[in-house]
């Protein structure tokens, strides 16, 4: 499939597809189709990669991190064990972010309660102790 069909099937704008190609996240094959200018051709494997990029972004991974994982996959180094290790590390990071957000929500709850006339004014520092 050509870039327009790939864009439609993947749900990615054509500019995003081109950006991913420049970043090395997608590597379509090229073919000369009736002219001197090569066309980029995509297949179902590229659709799978696009879906993995979306999942990675939803998990909060940077394109750099996603690119490193794509490269590990292409080179055959991304084993199930390596994938599990990476996901555990990222899971710990997300749990730390969740704990931080929970503390910020508690601060906001206390601040709103104070503004509505209950208790002493809370200080952000009281809610932001480091998480191990």
């Amino acid at each position: 499939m050509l870039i327009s069909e790939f864009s439609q099937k993947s749900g990615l704008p054509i500019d995003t597809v081109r950006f991913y190609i420049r970043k090395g996240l997608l590597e379509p094959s090229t073919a000369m189709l009736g002219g001197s200018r090569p066309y980029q051709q995509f297949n179902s494997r590229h659709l799978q990669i696009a879906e993995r990029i979306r999942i990675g972004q939803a998990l909060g991974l940077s394109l750099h991190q996603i690119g490193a994982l794509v490269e590990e996959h292409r080179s055959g180094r991304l084993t199930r064990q390596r994938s599990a290790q990476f996901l555990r590390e990222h899971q710990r990071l997300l749990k730390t972010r969740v704990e931080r957000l929970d503390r910020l929500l508690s601060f906001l709850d206390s601040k709103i309660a104070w503004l509505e006339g209950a208790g002493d004014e809370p200080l952000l520092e009281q809610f932001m102790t480091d998480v191990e």
Side-chain angles (χ1 to χ4, degrees):
M1 72 188 92
L2 299 178
I3 194 168
S4 59
E5 184 181 355
F6 177 77
S7 171
Q8 185 178 31
K9 286 186 176 184
S10 67
L12 296 172
I14 290 176
D15 288 342
T16 300
V17 175
R18 289 185 177 128
F19 177 75
Y20 288 170
I21 292 168
R22 284 193 307 275
K23 290 291 185 184
L25 297 170
L26 292 170
E27 293 180 340
S29 59
T30 56
M32 304 300 261
L33 297 176
S36 61
R37 192 166 164 214
Y39 284 81
Q40 295 171 323
Q41 293 184 314
F42 300 85
N43 56 38
S44 60
R45 182 179 59 84
H46 295 109
L47 289 171
Q48 291 171 344
I49 292 170
E51 180 62 20
R52 289 179 181 151
I53 293 169
R54 283 181 185 261
I55 291 169
Q57 288 178 314
L59 290 171
L61 298 176
S62 68
L63 287 179
H64 179 75
Q65 290 171 309
I66 294 168
L69 289 172
V70 167
E71 183 54 40
E72 280 188 58
H73 179 67
R74 283 187 188 132
S75 69
R77 296 174 299 162
L78 190 61
T79 63
R80 292 175 70 92
Q81 293 81 11
R82 169 67 181 120
S83 294
Q85 174 193 7
F86 178 84
L87 291 175
R88 276 192 300 275
E89 291 169 4
H90 194 65
Q91 183 181 48
R92 279 192 291 276
L93 175 67
L94 289 177
K95 285 181 178 181
T96 299
R97 287 182 187 166
V98 166
E99 290 169 358
R100 180 177 170 81
L101 288 172
D102 283 342
R103 290 193 311 270
L104 288 170
L105 284 171
S106 293
F107 168 73
L108 291 175
D109 290 342
S110 296
K111 193 73 162 184
I112 291 167
W114 172 74
L115 289 168
E116 292 175 343
D120 295 330
E121 181 177 11
L123 301 175
L124 182 60
E125 294 80 23
Q126 297 167 327
F127 294 87
M128 298 310 297
T129 58
D130 288 336
V131 175
E132 298 287 327

